[in-house]
């Protein structure tokens, strides 16, 4: 933060401090502005023009006050937020002018200088979607600065979920944007909209599948298409032959591919199918959780007690998230463990995991789908006729809204009976 403080001081006086004269100039500017003295030799030491001595807090206070803060502590706490506010102010002025060249130039500069770049992407995208400026949005996502590889996975999830919510509310049919590689990777692949697999998201999947030349995107499209088949009572086809060529994929995508094989019943045993992949994982807590993610959702959805039993041996109950987005993954593990412990009649574990599961931690793109599963569990747990009627009505209404025939009244009523038979 001291380096940032020095940089802001240089910005204020309009010159880089490189020599004795510059040090005297800054000291004089501080005296004129604050009526407080700061010895130019202190400035020399702080800027490395004399043997360095750790600055006193009083010195840092003076410099922070010189650039408009109440002191150094105030500077350290608010500098980044004030800088981002200034960036946002400039951004909205350019957006108002509707000059895409200036706007994109500003975005490129912000990528280099702003830690809040993901928020800038979200703000611009949402404004363009609201205005239905899809041509500009398409150009925007073709910038090198928005290449998927330049973001961490956590940043990509944050961007995808923030923009994906708006697309769900305002679906569009701009084919070029829907084929845009950066847009696909940052939005389509991260905001997996389980509420609309039979709707706009499924239609988008068809468009991407026809045009993509990226293997991992093609695999993802196939996996989503087969999940849609499962939910609308169509045969699930395993289009993934030799699994060895998929082993280097992201664990979450690999889990989706393995889920298709399970839904298609194309395996001898769960162990022979999954052991090679779980045994190769060295980062036990993090990667195993990600590999299990889709498998856990499918294990509950398809009443697969064998798969649930296997996954409970792979993930430790006390697993902690390495990244924030993994809180959702762990929450799904708690949900699966609720179902599994109920099925094997382990009342103690059921009580523990029911308490751990938090519906408020569900990711937005999964919320309605997972709510169907939660309603199944609650329906089976209550002895109240009134509550059962409420849960049934909510369940059937939501299943109809999502247009997923798989979630029938028979599934609701017979779910746990079928699992035990």
């Amino acid at each position: 933060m001291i380096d940032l403080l020095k940089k802001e001081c240089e910005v204020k006086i309009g010159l880089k401090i490189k020599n004795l004269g510059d040090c005297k100039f800054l000291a004089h500017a501080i005296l004129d502005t604050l009526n407080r003295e700061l010895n130019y030799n202190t400035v020399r030491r702080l800027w490395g023009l004399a043997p360095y001595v750790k600055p006193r807090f009083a010195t840092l206070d003076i410099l922070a006050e010189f650039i408009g803060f109440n002191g150094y502590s105030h500077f350290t706490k608010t500098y980044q937020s004030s800088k981002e506010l200034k960036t946002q102010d400039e951004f909205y002025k350019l957006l108002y002018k509707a000059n895409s060249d200036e706007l994109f130039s500003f975005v490129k500069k912000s990528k280099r200088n702003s830690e809040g770049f993901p928020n800038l992407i979200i703000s611009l995208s949402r404004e363009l979607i609201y205005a239905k400026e899809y041509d500009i949005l398409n150009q925007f996502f073709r910038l090198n600065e928005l290449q998927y590889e330049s973001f961490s996975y956590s940043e990509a999830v944050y961007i995808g979920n923030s923009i994906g919510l708006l697309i769900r509310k305002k679906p569009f049919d701009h084919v070029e944007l829907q084929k845009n590689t950066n847009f696909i990777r940052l939005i389509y692949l991260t905001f997996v909209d389980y509420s609309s697999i039979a709707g706009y998201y499924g239609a988008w999947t068809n468009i991407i599948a026809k045009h993509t030349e990226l293997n991992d995107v093609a695999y993802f499209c196939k996996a989503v298409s087969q999940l849609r088949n499962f939910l609308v009572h169509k045969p699930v086809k395993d289009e993934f032959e030799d699994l060895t060529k998929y082993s280097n994929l992201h664990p979450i995508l690999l889990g989706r591919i393995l889920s298709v094989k399970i839904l298609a019943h194309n395996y001898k045993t769960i162990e022979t199918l999954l052991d090679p992949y779980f045994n190769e994982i060295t980062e036990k807590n993090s990667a195993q959780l990600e590999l299990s993610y889709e498998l856990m959702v499918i294990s509950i959805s398809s009443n697969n007690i064998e798969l649930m039993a296997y996954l409970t041996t792979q993930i430790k109950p006390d697993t902690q998230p390495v990244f924030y987005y993994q809180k959702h993954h762990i929450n799904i593990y708690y949900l699966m463990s609720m179902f599994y412990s109920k099925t094997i009649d382990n009342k103690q574990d059921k009580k523990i995991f029911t308490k751990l599961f938090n519906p408020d931690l569900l990711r937005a793109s999964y919320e309605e789908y997972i709510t169907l599963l939660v309603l199944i569990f609650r329906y089976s747990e209550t002895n109240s006729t009134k509550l059962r009627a409420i849960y049934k009505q909510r369940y059937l209404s939501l299943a109809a809204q999502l247009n997923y025939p798989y979630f029938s009244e028979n599934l609701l009523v017979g779910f746990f009976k079928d699992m035990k038979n």
Side-chain angles (χ1 to χ4, degrees):
M1 291 300 293
I2 292 177
D3 286 340
L4 287 173
L5 179 63
K6 289 158 55 179
K7 181 179 178 181
E8 290 299 318
C9 288
E10 291 176 334
V11 169
K12 176 146 187 176
I13 62 175
L15 60 83
K16 291 278 188 180
I17 296 178
K18 298 179 179 179
N19 53 48
L20 177 60
D22 298 334
C23 296
K24 290 182 177 180
F25 184 85
L26 175 58
H28 184 73
I30 291 172
L31 181 63
D32 278 351
T33 303
L34 302 178
N35 197 27
R36 296 179 66 179
E37 289 191 9
L38 183 66
N39 192 288
Y40 66 84
N41 284 319
T42 301
V43 177
R44 289 177 65 213
R45 288 191 291 269
L46 187 57
W47 261 261
L49 300 175
Y52 182 80
V53 176
K54 185 177 180 180
R56 293 184 302 160
F57 201 79
T59 299
L60 300 177
D61 270 341
I62 291 173
L63 292 173
E65 289 173 29
F66 177 63
I67 60 173
F69 293 87
N70 294 332
Y72 184 65
S73 178
H74 182 226
F75 170 77
T76 58
K77 290 177 181 177
T78 62
Y79 172 77
Q80 194 59 46
S81 60
S82 64
K83 185 178 179 182
E84 288 179 5
L85 285 172
K86 182 179 178 181
T87 299
Q88 287 183 9
D89 185 54
E90 185 179 351
F91 156 68
Y92 281 112
K93 287 179 181 177
L94 289 173
L95 192 62
Y96 175 76
K97 289 170 65 177
N99 186 316
S100 58
D101 289 338
E102 287 186 32
L103 193 58
F104 294 163
S105 177
F106 171 76
V107 168
K108 293 177 182 180
K109 181 179 70 174
S110 299
K111 173 71 172 182
R112 295 191 295 269
N113 301 328
S114 174
E115 292 181 10
F117 189 63
N119 287 325
L120 182 63
I121 294 174
I122 293 165
S123 296
L124 177 55
S125 299
R126 290 174 70 86
E127 291 291 336
L128 293 174
I129 291 170
Y130 271 121
K132 297 183 178 181
E133 295 282 3
Y134 300 121
D135 287 337
I136 297 177
L137 188 62
N138 182 42
Q139 295 173 47
F140 174 55
F141 270 89
R142 293 193 184 281
L143 297 176
N144 289 332
E145 286 74 14
L146 269 76
Q147 288 184 355
Y148 177 83
E149 292 76 14
S150 67
F151 299 95
S152 68
Y153 187 73
S154 293
E155 288 176 325
V157 169
Y158 174 55
I159 293 169
N161 279 271
S162 299
I163 298 173
L165 280 170
L166 184 57
I167 292 175
R168 171 193 284 183
K169 187 175 181 181
K170 293 177 175 290
F172 57 87
D173 57 1
H174 191 284
V175 176
E176 289 305 311
L177 179 58
Q178 289 173 320
K179 295 189 295 184
N180 185 314
T181 299
N182 290 337
F183 194 75
I184 289 170
R185 287 194 176 281
L186 283 171
I187 315 302
Y188 171 75
L189 294 185
T190 55
F191 188 80
V192 187
D193 197 347
Y194 267 55
S195 72
S196 302
I197 291 176
Y200 87 89
Y201 194 82
W204 192 5
T205 298
N206 294 338
I207 293 171
I208 296 171
K210 290 178 182 178
H211 297 283
T212 187
E213 297 180 357
L214 303 169
N215 287 334
D216 60 332
V217 176
Y219 302 151
F220 182 92
C221 290
K222 287 182 181 180
V224 170
S225 295
Q226 295 309 318
L227 175 60
R228 178 177 54 197
N229 286 346
F230 169 74
L231 294 172
V232 299
H233 280 320
K234 290 184 178 180
V236 177
K237 299 177 183 179
D238 177 13
E239 300 179 285
F240 303 100
E241 298 301 329
D242 182 10
L243 269 173
T244 57
K245 71 178 182 180
Y246 307 118
S247 58
N248 292 325
L249 298 176
H250 191 284
I252 295 178
L253 178 53
L254 178 57
R256 294 187 188 281
I257 292 172
L258 292 168
S259 294
V260 170
K261 289 190 168 292
I262 291 171
L263 289 176
H265 304 288
N266 189 16
Y267 61 97
K268 294 180 180 178
T269 67
I270 291 292
E271 288 76 15
T272 56
L273 176 64
L274 300 182
D275 275 351
Y277 303 98
F278 279 94
N279 291 342
E280 283 183 7
I281 295 174
T282 56
E283 301 173 35
K284 295 296 182 184
N285 287 348
S286 179
Q288 281 193 337
L289 187 64
E290 295 188 343
L291 178 58
S292 302
Y293 180 39
E294 185 70 9
L295 292 166
M296 291 188 293
V297 175
I298 292 304
S299 72
I300 306 171
S301 304
S302 62
N303 304 28
N304 194 324
I305 187 65
E306 182 188 8
L307 179 55
M308 288 188 199
Y310 179 88
L311 294 173
T312 57
T313 67
Q314 298 299 320
I315 305 171
K316 297 178 181 178
D318 60 350
T319 296
Q320 296 298 314
V322 177
F323 303 103
Y324 180 80
Y325 67 85
Q326 291 176 340
K327 285 188 175 182
H328 174 69
H329 299 179
I330 293 173
N331 206 35
I332 298 300
Y333 166 71
Y334 296 152
L335 180 66
M336 182 194 73
S337 298
M338 286 162 52
F339 275 77
Y340 179 62
S341 57
K342 179 177 176 64
T343 304
I344 63 175
D345 201 27
N346 187 328
K347 293 181 174 61
Q348 183 177 357
D349 280 357
K350 182 180 71 173
K351 183 177 180 180
I352 291 171
F353 288 113
T354 302
K355 188 175 181 179
L356 286 171
F357 174 72
N358 185 355
D360 293 333
L361 290 180
L362 293 175
R363 188 177 294 167
S365 58
Y366 279 74
E367 187 173 358
E368 288 90 346
Y369 185 94
I370 299 300
T371 297
L372 286 171
L373 303 178
V374 172
L375 287 169
I376 290 173
F377 185 85
R378 289 178 176 170
Y379 178 88
S380 70
E381 282 285 284
T382 185
N383 292 319
S384 166
T385 303
K386 183 178 180 180
L387 277 177
R388 281 200 168 203
I390 291 172
Y391 292 148
K392 178 190 280 191
Q393 188 276 328
R394 289 179 181 172
Y395 169 88
L396 293 176
S397 175
L398 185 54
Q401 175 187 323
L402 302 186
N403 194 23
Y404 297 157
Y406 176 77
F407 286 99
S408 64
E409 183 174 343
N410 287 338
L411 183 70
L412 173 70
V413 174
F415 194 95
F416 287 97
K417 295 177 183 177
D418 294 341
M419 290 180 82
K420 291 179 180 178
N421 292 337

